[in-house]
Amino acid sequence: MHEKTPGPAALAATRRRFVTVTGAAAALAMTGALTRGDDATAAARATPASRLDRGPLFTLGVASGDPLPDAVVIWTRLAPEPLAPFGGMDRGPVEVRWEVSETESFARIVRRGTATARPEYAHTVHVDVRGLRPWRRYFYRFRVGGQLSPVGRTRTAPAPGDRLSSMTLAFASCQAWFEGFYTAHADLARRDHDVVLFLGDYIYEFGADKGIRPGSGDLHAMRQTVTLDEYRERYALYKLDPDLQAAHASAPWIVTMDDHEVVDNWADEFPHPGGPADQFLVRRANGFRAYWEHMPLRLDQAPTGPDMRLHRRLRYGTLAEFSVLDTRQYRSDQAMGDGIKPPNPGSLDPARTLTGDEQERWLLDGLATSRARWNVIGQQNAMARLEMVPGPEQGVPMDTWDGYAASRDRVIGGAHERGVRNLISLGGDLHRSVASDLKLDFDDPGSATVGTEFVGTSISSGMDGMDHDEDGLTLLAENPHIHYHNVQRGYVSCRITPDEWTSDYRVADRVTTPGGRMSTRARLVVEDGRPGIQRA
C-alpha cells in the first residue's frame, strides 16, 4: 500500500509554499503572454538578434486547442536546441509575432499580434485568439525575426444553436516514444478531423531503451523525469517527432492527462508505489507545469503548484457536448494496493471516488442540462466492467472505474435517471481497443443499456501488438457487454451526425519499424436514441 499521507495541515502548508513561490512568476508570464496589437511598442521590445542566431527556433512545431465559437488557443515553443536546458535559449524574453488567416497562403489575415515567450515558461507561447467566426477553418503561424514557424490548421466550434449536419473527431492516448513510431499520428494527420481528443499519457516519465528508435539509448530517453527541467526535456523529445507535429498541426486538440505525465498510477497526493506525499507534490507540480507549458491550453488553466483544473466542457452546437474529465487529481487511493483484484470492500466503498465530489456533481449537472444530441465523456480509463479472470473467479483492475464501482454507479445511474440522450464514453489507458455497452447493472446482462463506450488503443505503447491476446479473449468471454476487442496500435476516427455515431478503429500493422500500414479494423455504429452498439 502507499505510504500514509502527512495529513491535511502539512499538505496545505506545502501547497501554500507553491503558491507563494510560483504566483509572482505566473502573473508576470501571463501578463506577457496576453494578446496585444501588432504595434510599434511591441516591436521596440523585440529581442536582440544575437539571441536568435542559434539555428531554427520552431523545432517543436505548432499546435492549437480548446476551440470556442469565437476563439482558439494557438501554441508554439522556441527551442533551437530542444534537448538542452531552456531549449538552448538565453534566459530572457522574446517577442513572437503571430498571424491567423482564412487562407493557407495568408492572403486574408484576420487576426495578428505579438506575445512574449518567457524563460520561466520555457519560452512557450499560448495565445487565446479571440474575435473569430464560428465553425470556420483557419490557418496560423508564428514569426521571430526572419524565421517563420510551420503553418497550423485549426477550426473554431460552431455557435451554440447551430444544427450541424455532421462533424468528425479523432481520439487517441498512450504514446510511449521508446516503444514505437508514431505511424498512427501520421495517418490521423492525413485524415480530415474537426477536432482531436488526446486522453492521456502524452509522455512516459520512466526511462527505457527498447532499441526501436535511433537515439533511444541516450541520456534523454533513459532518465527518469523528476525535476522540471527533466519533464521539459521529455516533452521536447516527444515533440521532435514529425508525425506528432503533423497531427497537432492538422486540427485543434482537446487534451487531458492521465498518470504518466507525472508518475505511473498516481492518485491525488499518493504516488505509486509509495513515498512521502509532500515530496510527491513537488514532483506533481513539476509535471503539471511542464504539461501546461507544452499543451495548447488557455492561460487560466496554468497550474498553481501541484493543482490544475483540467475538467471542462466544450460544445459543438446542438450536435455534441464534450465533458472532459480529470480522473487522477481528485481520486481516492487505489483499493487493495492496485492491480487486478476481486471486487472488495475498498472498490465497492461508496465513500471512495474516482472524480472527486465536486467534479462528479459538475458532470451530472452538465449532462442533466445538456440539449445536445450526443453527450460525450472524454476521460482516461475504461468505465465498463473489465472482468479479466476466466471462469467463476473474479478479477477487475483497481485503477479503472472498476476500482471505484460506486463512482461508476453514480455516473451511469445518474445519467439514466436524468434521461441523458446518447451517452458516449471515450477512454484510453488500456493499450487495447475495447467497445462496450454501458449497463445500469453489469451483474445483470439483461439490465438497461444506458450508453456506449469506445476505448481506444495506444499510439505506440505496447509495441506492435496483435489482433487478440489471452487477456482479450478473456475479456470477450467474461463480459457480454463487450462487442469488440483488438490489441494493435492505432487510434479511433469518428463521424457524428444527428442520426448516428460511427467509430472507425484505425490500426497499424507495425510500429516497431518505420513505414507501417494503417487500416480500418472495425467500424462500429451507434444509432440516435438506441444506446449501445447496434451494428458494424
Side-chain angles (χ1 to χ4, degrees):
M1 290 292 290
H2 299 316
E3 186 169 313
K4 184 174 176 59
T5 176
L11 293 175
T14 300
R15 282 187 162 89
R16 282 196 299 273
R17 288 196 297 273
F18 276 115
V19 172
T20 301
V21 170
T22 63
L28 178 64
M30 288 185 188
T31 301
L34 289 174
T35 303
R36 295 191 299 274
D38 190 7
D39 55 26
T41 302
R45 290 198 298 269
T47 303
S50 61
R51 294 185 182 179
L52 308 176
D53 60 0
R54 298 179 182 177
L57 293 173
F58 300 103
T59 55
L60 303 181
V62 298
S64 68
D66 274 21
L68 302 175
D70 66 341
V72 69
V73 178
I74 60 175
W75 173 95
T76 194
R77 180 186 172 190
L78 309 183
E81 301 172 40
L83 301 180
F86 284 86
M89 294 288 292
D90 287 346
R91 293 176 187 181
V94 179
E95 295 293 335
V96 181
R97 298 177 182 271
W98 56 268
E99 297 174 326
V100 176
S101 171
E102 291 182 342
T103 62
E104 193 170 6
S105 67
F106 286 80
R108 292 201 300 273
I109 295 174
V110 296
R111 289 289 182 273
R112 59 169 25 122
T114 61
T116 304
R118 295 190 176 274
E120 54 265 41
Y121 283 104
H123 291 97
T124 59
V125 176
H126 303 71
V127 181
D128 192 352
V129 183
R130 297 281 170 165
L132 301 176
R133 300 172 66 190
W135 203 229
R136 292 293 190 276
R137 281 273 167 81
Y138 290 100
F139 299 87
Y140 62 95
R141 66 187 180 186
F142 300 88
R143 183 194 302 269
V144 175
Q147 289 199 39
L148 277 174
S149 74
V151 173
R153 182 179 68 178
T154 192
R155 187 166 197 168
T156 53
D162 282 359
R163 298 179 179 275
L164 299 187
S165 60
S166 67
M167 68 171 291
T168 56
L169 68 92
F171 70 93
S173 62
C174 305
Q175 52 186 25
W177 181 89
F178 47 80
E179 292 199 332
F181 291 88
Y182 291 164
T183 307
H185 276 312
D187 186 74
L188 187 157
R190 287 190 293 265
R191 294 164 69 89
D192 188 18
H193 297 105
D194 296 318
V195 68
V196 175
L197 277 69
F198 197 87
L199 301 175
D201 293 346
Y202 191 98
I203 64 165
Y204 281 69
E205 82 290 357
F206 55 86
D209 178 15
K210 300 293 179 69
I212 292 171
R213 286 182 180 251
S216 61
D218 67 20
L219 182 62
H220 300 293
M222 294 299 293
R223 178 185 294 146
Q224 177 89 199
T225 57
V226 177
T227 69
L228 178 57
D229 282 346
E230 289 164 350
Y231 280 108
R232 286 170 168 170
E233 180 185 88
R234 188 60 49 87
Y235 281 99
L237 178 68
Y238 279 50
K239 282 180 169 289
L240 281 169
D241 184 277
D243 294 327
L244 178 56
Q245 289 190 22
H248 270 298
S250 71
W253 283 35
I254 299 169
V255 301
T256 188
M257 68 164 60
D258 194 16
D259 54 339
H260 287 289
E261 288 87 352
V262 180
V263 68
D264 185 32
N265 280 16
W266 67 277
D268 193 6
E269 66 234 359
F270 298 99
H272 183 81
D278 54 349
Q279 292 182 20
F280 171 66
L281 287 179
V282 176
R283 185 177 186 179
R284 192 173 108 177
N286 292 334
F288 278 18
R289 180 159 163 176
Y291 179 81
W292 178 84
E293 287 173 348
H294 290 85
M295 294 296 111
L297 292 167
R298 287 192 158 79
L299 300 173
D300 61 7
Q301 290 178 272
T304 301
D307 300 308
M308 173 170 59
R309 177 162 174 146
L310 275 172
H311 61 282
R312 59 205 188 278
R313 190 167 285 118
L314 295 103
R315 298 176 175 87
Y316 275 71
T318 62
L319 184 60
E321 184 169 285
F322 297 89
S323 297
V324 181
L325 300 189
D326 173 356
T327 62
R328 286 289 162 193
Q329 196 171 175
Y330 314 107
R331 68 160 68 191
S332 306
D333 193 12
Q334 289 93 343
M336 292 188 70
D338 211 349
I340 306 297
K341 304 288 171 59
N344 56 77
S347 69
L348 301 175
D349 183 353
R352 297 178 70 257
T353 174
L354 189 68
T355 61
D357 294 339
E358 186 275 333
Q359 185 179 193
E360 183 180 290
R361 287 192 298 271
W362 169 86
L363 173 61
L364 289 173
D365 289 348
L367 291 174
T369 57
S370 171
R371 297 295 177 263
R373 182 69 58 97
W374 300 91
N375 289 283
V376 186
I377 301 174
Q379 46 92 34
Q380 295 77 359
N381 304 115
M383 187 175 286
R385 174 175 286 181
L386 302 177
E387 172 59 59
M388 301 188 72
V389 176
E393 296 183 6
Q394 289 186 305
V396 294
M398 294 294 100
D399 191 57
T400 71
W401 289 77
D402 273 321
Y404 305 81
S407 269
R408 176 174 61 199
D409 291 346
R410 289 191 295 267
V411 170
I412 296 179
H416 182 67
E417 292 169 2
R418 291 160 174 79
V420 175
R421 185 173 185 172
N422 295 334
L423 180 68
I424 301 286
S425 169
L426 305 180
D429 187 57
L430 298 181
H431 304 175
R432 60 182 68 236
S433 301
V434 181
S436 311
D437 295 341
L438 294 177
K439 308 294 288 186
L440 191 61
D441 181 358
F442 286 99
D443 288 323
D444 178 9
S447 72
T449 298
V450 179
T452 309
E453 178 166 73
F454 298 106
V455 173
T457 185
S458 59
I459 291 287
S460 57
S461 305
M463 299 185 287
D464 289 335
M466 61 195 74
D467 196 41
H468 289 293
D469 61 2
E470 185 175 346
D471 285 342
L473 295 174
T474 299
L475 284 170
L476 290 170
E478 298 293 326
N479 300 277
H481 51 276
I482 294 179
H483 294 272
Y484 169 71
H485 171 270
N486 175 270
V487 205
Q488 292 170 283
R489 309 283 73 83
Y491 71 101
V492 186
S493 180
C494 306
R495 185 173 186 270
I496 313 171
T497 72
D499 296 327
E500 64 183 27
W501 176 298
T502 303
S503 288
D504 285 353
Y505 276 86
R506 300 283 294 168
V507 302
D509 63 347
R510 68 186 190 278
V511 296
T512 52
T513 56
R517 184 175 61 87
M518 297 289 297
S519 62
T520 298
R521 177 64 181 81
R523 174 168 290 175
L524 307 178
V525 176
V526 180
E527 297 174 4
D528 173 41
R530 298 184 65 194
I533 296 167
Q534 303 300 333
R535 59 186 172 88

